Amino acid sequence: MYKTVGSFAVVRKEFRNSTFIGHVRSIDSEAEARTFIDQLKGQYSDANHNVSAYLIKNDNALVAKYDDDGEPAGSSGKPVFKVLELKGLSNTVVVVTRYFGGIKLGFGGLSRAYRETAVAAIEEAGVVEVHEMVDVVVRLDYSDMQSVKRLAEEYGQVTGEDYSDVVKLSVKVRKGEEDGFADKLINLTRDRAKIVKM
């Protein structure tokens, strides 16, 4: 299980005449993060800076990067990245675009502006828990279909149905709960339903 943002979000904040635009979305790979960052750099090519940070956890590997994009080192990318860490988010990318308004903010002011914009974007998007899922195929009789579907929804979701002389349900089960699902399946169907692939 990990936490990420529930949707794509954009927020706009003003700090001493400078405009900060925060963007956030969930991602599954570093390539997806880079594409999103490049897309926004293109969209806001007239901006002074497009600061970015992302954190990805996949199969026990961790990718964590941030970029100050020309702002003083450590003043912008790192504070945005720290927001991801403090909120316990992974598989998330944040880009904060800055249009300079003529008044210098200083190191502390910059850090605060970037951090607050990142926080606002994440709050706008909302935080969700994502469970890692395991694919399971269940073979069952037609008579057990409704009860097995309800059980599958308790442990995850049904992703496919195949009908022949028997029913085959493709189910995504939350990782770590496969054994509990299998035990309940046996009890519920009196051993008629079988997991044929895990």
Side-chain angles (χ1 to χ4, degrees), residues 33-44:
R34 295 281 353 138
T35 300
F36 182 67
I37 293 164
D38 291 344
Q39 177 190 332
L40 289 172
K41 281 186 171 186
Q43 185 179 338
Y44 296 101

Side-chain angles (χ1 to χ4, degrees), residues 108-119:
L110 271 179
S111 294
R112 190 166 43 258
Y114 278 105
R115 184 175 57 250
E116 287 180 16
T117 305
V119 167

Side-chain angles (χ1 to χ4, degrees), residues 8 23-27 29-45 49-56 63-69 77 80 84 92-97:
F8 168 74
H23 309 78
V24 64
R25 64 165 284 199
S26 65
I27 45 166
S29 67
E30 188 169 14
E32 222 177 305
R34 295 281 353 138
T35 300
F36 182 67
I37 293 164
D38 291 344
Q39 177 190 332
L40 289 172
K41 281 186 171 186
Q43 185 179 338
Y44 296 101
S45 57
H49 307 280
N50 288 288
V51 167
S52 60
Y54 56 90
L55 183 62
I56 304 162
V63 180
K65 293 198 176 157
Y66 59 84
D67 179 14
D68 294 312
D69 195 39
V80 171
L84 293 175
T92 306
V93 59
V94 179
V95 178
V96 179
T97 299

Side-chain angles (χ1 to χ4, degrees), residues 4 11-12 49-50 61 74 113 118-119 121 127 149 153 164 191 195:
T4 186
V11 297
R12 181 183 287 268
H49 307 280
N50 288 288
V119 167
V127 173
K149 274 186 163 180
E153 296 296 329
S164 58
D191 214 13
I195 292 178

